[in-house]
Amino acid sequence: IINNFRADNKKLPITIPQTTEELINLLREGESPDKLVVVDCGGFDSQFTRIAIAAADLVIAPANETFLDLVGTQEFNQTLREISDQVGREIVGYVFFCKVPSSKKHFPNMEDMIANSSNLKLLEHRISALNEHHINQFRGLGVTELPATASSRAGKEVRALCEEVHQLLHRQ
């Protein structure tokens, strides 16, 4: 939806596969070293999600410390265990806190749950619930794309999270 607000020359190449075959073909494009395929699974379990996870070089998932996120993250750990068993290799999901209060530093319930999970790890960086994110969405832009917000706390958080994900991708 946000991509529709971007200027035509700034639109991201988004593909929405309709079949598992289309998804698999799209994922194969990511096998090329100069290609990056990002799959947004929407936070629910489906055949599409399981195929994407099985093929992924890196699995990241946003979470908060709400009751529903705690339950969903536990279920996600179970799903990752099942997919790991099916494909014969350990798949780890990297969780980051997203849309959390900017003043909150500790999330003991989620941190403890992830620490005791077999297939989850917690990323160091997070995305706080800051106004800059909402302002830029109406332009279809991220906080790092506009000079007015690129150096803001929101921009710094996004760049730090992206760098952490980049490091994980290149460690594999």
Side-chain angles (χ1 to χ4, degrees):
I1 292 174
I2 293 173
N3 202 40
N4 293 331
F5 289 96
R6 294 176 77 90
D8 286 340
N9 64 339
K10 298 269 187 185
K11 288 196 185 296
L12 301 172
I14 295 175
T15 303
I16 302 172
Q18 301 300 312
T19 66
T20 55
E21 291 78 20
E22 288 177 16
L23 174 61
I24 291 167
N25 288 334
L26 180 65
L27 294 171
R28 284 192 177 125
E29 288 181 25
E31 293 174 357
S32 172
D34 63 332
K35 291 269 189 163
L36 176 66
V37 175
V38 176
V39 179
D40 182 347
C41 296
F44 57 92
D45 192 5
S46 70
Q47 184 178 12
F48 273 37
T49 299
R50 287 176 178 253
I51 290 169
I53 289 171
D57 292 323
L58 183 67
V59 176
I60 61 172
N64 208 314
E65 199 177 42
T66 66
F67 175 75
L68 290 177
D69 276 2
L70 284 163
V71 171
T73 303
Q74 283 181 322
E75 290 175 0
F76 186 51
N77 182 64
Q78 177 62 33
T79 300
L80 292 174
R81 265 199 313 253
E82 292 170 8
I83 297 169
S84 294
D85 291 343
Q86 291 170 348
V87 299
R89 66 179 172 86
E90 194 69 19
I91 297 175
V92 174
Y94 292 88
V95 178
F96 69 96
F97 289 114
C98 187
K99 298 180 185 175
V100 294
S102 59
S103 61
K104 189 166 182 178
K105 303 294 180 218
H106 302 287
F107 305 87
N109 295 324
M110 185 66 82
E111 290 168 349
D112 289 347
M113 197 273 296
I114 291 172
N116 292 305
S117 296
S118 59
N119 292 68
L120 296 174
K121 291 185 180 178
L122 184 60
L123 291 176
E124 177 183 342
H125 296 92
R126 56 134 180 219
I127 303 297
S128 299
L130 297 168
N131 196 41
E132 289 91 346
H133 295 290
H134 304 292
I135 292 168
N136 291 344
Q137 285 177 345
F138 291 109
R139 296 182 179 130
L141 301 173
V143 293
T144 61
E145 294 179 275
L146 289 176
T149 55
S151 296
S152 68
R153 178 175 176 179
K156 290 174 184 175
E157 286 183 354
V158 168
R159 278 194 306 283
L161 179 63
C162 288
E163 179 58 29
E164 187 174 6
V165 168
H166 183 266
Q167 293 297 323
L168 287 168
L169 274 171
H170 288 87
R171 224 186 323 157
Q172 300 189 20

